Amino acid sequence: MSFKIKTNELLGALQKTIRVVPTRSTLPILGCALFEFNDSEMVIKATNLETSIIERISFSGEKPQNPIAIPINRFLEIISNITEKETNLSVNNKGQLNIETETGSYLIMGQDYSEFPSDPIMNETQSIYLDTASLFEIIDFTKNSTSKDELKPALQGVLFKIDSSRIIGVATDGHRLSRIIKEIENNNQEKEIIIPTKFLSLLTGFVEKNDSVEIEISKNHLSLSYKKTTIYSRIIQDTYPDYEKVIPIDNDKTLVTNKSKLSSAIKRVSIFSNRSTKQITFNITNKKLTISTEDSESAAKGKEDLDCDFNSTEDLKIGFNSTFLLEALGNIQNENIGMFLSGPLSAAVVAEKSKDKKTDKLILLMPIRLND
């Protein structure tokens, strides 16, 4: 059974589906993509058991009778090096895929397609509707604050609290917290869900900005279909921490300085910080902010002074992880940044509201305890 398919469409579909294929797995079938066929479409599926991608592309010719599971890395490698506009493919009764070009032919041995995991079951679904500009802004703002600790599954995703007037997105890894509130107008019912970071990261590569999407939610999974792509993900079934309790409301010391100058100074000073802690120190007085670091292991030091406004009569010395602080500053648009502080052991808060008052951003950073 031979058929033709446009090489660039096949290449694009394989490049998308391979994004969920695990680099290492105890199940060899997960290193394969499953190819199924209807009258005019080839359906490509890949999964890591938590996230799945389905791509659909057209073909012409004879439809293979059975699906085929092919190691996707090798298939992608050969397709990415084919220059012809169309690629000829055929599937034999031994479960082998034959690839033919004007100058050569290539054979890939498939695996038992019956071992490929079935699609997630989506029963009794509820839909939520989001504009992608708002969704992408929430993803970009929260993604750095999610945890990679497998022992804390709830923190490996972003909490979405959605109703008809706003979306709240929250992420934390225990050292920092990002919360964004966007005022919206839609017909969504009230919903609270923890969406894995991996699924959210995939969306930005599949969905166009300034569009709208429908996300279907079942008991254990969610899915999003966009053009010829469908993405499934498990839902994190865990209780999210009460994040509102950790946001301080009495940080009455305010540091105001230029964001660009602050970011540049932190980048330079942090070069000399300890590679594991990335610790820098803020020494804050009424008109001057001194950023410093010292690494005893390499006998390195760095220090810079910046102009600032500080509304406290008492000087403050506080330590931060420079990487976390730079990521926080990168999420703030205002050129003058305000940091709300209390003491050397209390969480610092950076907050910003959009000019139209429809977006409220807040970043919480836990300080690093200083030795001196």
Side-chain angles (χ1 to χ4, degrees):
M1 299 293 180
S2 62
F3 56 97
K4 291 183 179 181
I5 197 161
K6 291 182 179 179
T7 305
N8 63 336
E9 292 184 4
L10 178 57
L11 177 61
L14 293 175
Q15 288 172 332
K16 289 180 179 179
T17 52
I18 199 172
R19 293 177 65 181
V20 301
V21 174
T23 54
R24 295 180 181 179
S25 175
T26 56
L27 298 174
I29 194 67
L30 297 185
C32 295
L34 179 68
F35 297 82
E36 297 177 331
F37 303 88
N38 56 39
D39 290 338
S40 60
E41 277 189 331
M42 179 169 72
V43 181
I44 308 173
K45 300 180 180 181
T47 184
N48 57 22
L49 299 181
E50 294 189 358
T51 307
S52 303
I53 293 179
I54 299 176
E55 280 285 319
R56 296 170 177 84
I57 51 177
S58 301
F59 71 89
S60 60
E62 298 177 280
K63 181 184 76 171
Q65 294 180 347
N66 296 314
I68 186 170
I70 295 295
I72 190 170
N73 281 288
R74 177 165 288 181
F75 192 22
L76 173 59
E77 193 170 3
I78 182 60
I79 295 300
S80 63
N81 284 285
I82 291 176
T83 57
E84 285 92 340
K85 291 184 178 181
E86 287 189 322
T87 299
N88 296 304
L89 303 173
S90 61
V91 179
N92 63 30
N93 55 13
K94 295 181 181 179
Q96 295 172 315
L97 178 69
N98 189 55
I99 307 163
E100 292 188 2
T101 66
E102 292 179 358
T103 56
S105 63
Y106 314 92
L107 191 68
I108 302 178
M109 185 65 202
Q111 295 192 29
D112 184 357
Y113 66 84
S114 65
E115 295 181 1
F116 196 86
S118 57
D119 296 342
I121 298 174
M122 300 284 292
N123 289 333
E124 299 180 3
T125 61
Q126 175 185 342
S127 294
I128 57 175
Y129 301 89
L130 301 171
D131 68 273
T132 52
S134 296
L135 179 59
F136 285 5
E137 187 176 3
I138 293 171
I139 294 171
D140 289 341
F141 187 76
T142 56
K143 63 183 180 182
N144 289 329
S145 293
T146 56
S147 175
K148 296 178 176 61
D149 188 350
E150 295 183 357
L151 298 178
K152 299 176 181 178
L155 304 189
Q156 290 186 296
V158 176
L159 173 68
F160 278 75
K161 298 178 73 173
I162 303 169
D163 59 32
S164 60
S165 62
R166 65 179 187 172
I167 310 172
I168 302 176
V170 183
T172 181
D173 59 6
H175 303 287
R176 51 187 167 167
L177 180 146
S178 298
R179 187 209 66 193
I180 179 170
I181 302 173
K182 288 198 67 69
E183 303 294 334
I184 58 172
E185 293 182 6
N186 57 40
N187 297 317
N188 289 325
Q189 298 179 359
E190 189 171 329
K191 188 70 178 180
E192 187 169 318
I193 183 173
I194 306 173
I195 302 179
T197 310
K198 291 179 181 179
F199 174 79
L200 296 173
S201 297
L202 281 173
L203 294 187
T204 56
F206 284 80
V207 181
E208 295 175 5
K209 200 172 182 178
N210 301 319
D211 209 337
S212 59
V213 292
E214 175 188 0
I215 298 177
E216 288 191 84
I217 303 170
S218 67
K219 181 179 180 181
N220 296 311
H221 294 87
L222 56 86
S223 70
L224 182 147
S225 294
Y226 186 80
K227 296 183 178 179
K228 292 188 176 183
T229 303
T230 301
I231 310 175
Y232 293 93
S233 174
R234 68 176 179 86
I235 295 171
I236 297 178
Q237 302 286 1
D238 208 346
T239 302
Y240 205 81
D242 188 352
Y243 66 91
E244 292 180 340
K245 284 187 176 180
V246 304
I247 298 175
I249 58 175
D250 56 353
N251 283 18
D252 55 355
K253 297 180 175 67
T254 306
L255 166 68
V256 179
T257 190
N258 180 274
K259 187 190 79 167
S260 297
K261 292 180 179 179
L262 177 60
S263 296
S264 296
I266 292 172
K267 289 176 183 177
R268 290 188 291 267
V269 171
S270 63
I271 293 171
F272 301 90
S273 65
N274 182 276
R275 291 186 177 183
S276 59
T277 65
K278 299 291 183 181
Q279 178 180 308
I280 58 172
T281 301
F282 277 17
N283 280 281
I284 313 168
T285 64
N286 182 251
K287 291 293 181 181
K288 187 173 74 172
L289 165 62
T290 300
I291 308 168
S292 62
T293 190
E294 182 175 354
D295 181 20
S296 57
E297 294 180 6
S298 60
K301 292 182 180 181
K303 184 178 78 168
E304 284 206 28
D305 293 330
L306 290 178
D307 294 332
C308 73
D309 288 322
F310 190 51
N311 69 346
S312 176
T313 57
E314 297 179 359
D315 297 348
L316 177 61
K317 187 177 183 180
I318 186 170
F320 292 107
N321 179 300
S322 60
T323 300
F324 293 172
L325 187 52
L326 284 171
E327 289 176 349
L329 296 177
N331 278 320
I332 300 299
Q333 304 301 317
N334 291 344
E335 190 55 31
N336 283 329
I337 191 155
M339 183 176 289
F340 302 93
L341 305 159
S342 177
L345 300 179
S346 300
V349 171
V350 180
E352 178 185 58
K353 281 192 176 182
S354 61
K355 292 181 180 180
D356 59 7
K357 308 296 183 183
K358 291 186 177 182
T359 304
D360 186 349
K361 296 179 178 180
L362 180 146
I363 302 168
L364 179 149
L365 295 170
M366 295 303 297
I368 294 178
R369 183 184 293 271
L370 300 173
N371 294 327
D372 51 353

